């Protein structure tokens, strides 16, 4: 799903992004609710930021990547934590691209996410390459999502990758049918 976000572009620097796990639901400009083999996933666009809420069985997970005033946790390159019996892994990277490369990459990512049933992307008025995009999937008993935050004025693209689920190699929960794997 592709939408134009009706707001001013306020998160204007990749370096201002911070990461948080466990924050309460924040006001969103666009939301996509998904059901992924028993997991409830809510993809939330918060301007040039994102929040993902995951609920499965008794596990609740909230990931926020945003400009959060007063936050002491900058955007990390990687995080691994336990959330109940589940593992949470997060990774981020910042790419700096030339103007032409940035425009091409922006178009490629928006095309990937816009028509995907598990994708949500929001563009900002005034800049066709200012966007936030998210894509979620269920794979091998885990819920995974990727996000992209575009900062065309800096030529920077922040890409994140998250995985939540049982440790790799652990028995798959009985929720999934072996025929579907």
């Amino acid at each position: 799903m592709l939408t134009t976000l009706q707001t001013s572009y306020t998160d204007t620097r990749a370096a201002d992004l911070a990461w948080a796990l466990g924050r309460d639901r924040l006001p969103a400009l666009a939301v996509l609710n998904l059901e992924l083999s028993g997991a409830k996933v809510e993809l939330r666009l918060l301007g040039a930021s994102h929040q993902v809420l995951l609920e499965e069985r008794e596990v609740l997970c909230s990931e926020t990547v945003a400009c959060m005033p007063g936050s002491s946790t900058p955007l990390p390159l990687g995080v691994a934590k336990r959330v109940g019996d589940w593992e949470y892994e997060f990774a981020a990277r910042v790419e700096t691209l030339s103007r032409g490369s940035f425009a091409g990459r922006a178009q490629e990512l928006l095309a990937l996410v816009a028509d995907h049933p598990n994708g949500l992307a929001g563009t900002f008025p005034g800049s066709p390459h200012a966007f936030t995009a998210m894509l979620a999937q269920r794979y091998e008993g885990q819920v995974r999502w990727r996000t992209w935050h575009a900062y065309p004025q800096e030529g920077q693209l922040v890409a994140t990758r998250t995985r939540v689920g049982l440790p790799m190699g652990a028995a798959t929960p009985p929720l999934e049918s072996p025929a579907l794997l």
Side-chain angles (χ1 to χ4, degrees):
M1 178 170 88
L2 178 62
T3 186
T4 299
L5 301 172
Q6 299 303 316
T7 187
S8 60
Y9 190 53
T10 56
D11 294 352
T12 57
R13 291 181 20 158
D16 291 339
L17 286 176
W19 166 87
L21 189 61
R23 283 187 71 110
D24 289 335
R25 178 180 272 115
L26 297 172
L29 299 171
V31 176
L32 179 62
N33 290 302
L34 302 170
E35 178 80 26
L36 301 175
S37 300
K40 293 178 183 176
V41 179
E42 191 173 315
L43 302 178
R44 304 170 60 77
L45 294 179
L46 316 173
S49 311
H50 82 259
Q51 186 173 51
V52 177
L53 305 175
L54 166 65
E55 181 181 347
E56 184 174 15
R57 296 191 176 106
E58 292 133 29
V59 177
L60 298 173
C61 181
S62 166
E63 172 189 283
T64 306
V65 172
C67 295
M68 297 178 269
S71 175
S72 60
T73 307
L75 190 64
L77 294 177
V79 174
K81 291 190 172 269
R82 284 289 232 188
V83 179
D85 291 336
W86 300 79
E87 288 182 346
Y88 168 90
E89 291 182 3
F90 171 87
R93 85 172 183 277
V94 179
E95 296 177 57
T96 301
L97 304 164
S98 69
R99 182 163 293 186
S101 294
F102 188 92
R105 183 78 171 124
Q107 290 173 341
E108 174 184 281
L109 289 169
L110 286 172
L112 170 73
V113 175
D115 293 327
H116 195 287
N118 297 343
L120 175 62
T123 59
F124 293 87
S127 178
H129 302 125
F131 69 91
T132 301
M134 309 169 73
L135 190 60
Q137 70 174 355
R138 178 92 182 203
Y139 181 73
E140 294 184 352
Q142 300 174 340
V143 177
R144 301 170 184 218
W145 57 87
R146 301 221 30 202
T147 73
W148 299 271
H149 304 252
Y151 298 91
Q153 71 284 4
E154 296 181 313
Q156 291 189 320
L157 183 67
V158 177
T160 74
R161 181 178 55 229
T162 302
R163 178 185 70 80
V164 180
L166 290 175
M168 294 299 280
T172 302
L175 230 185
E176 296 183 51
S177 164
L180 298 176
L181 301 175

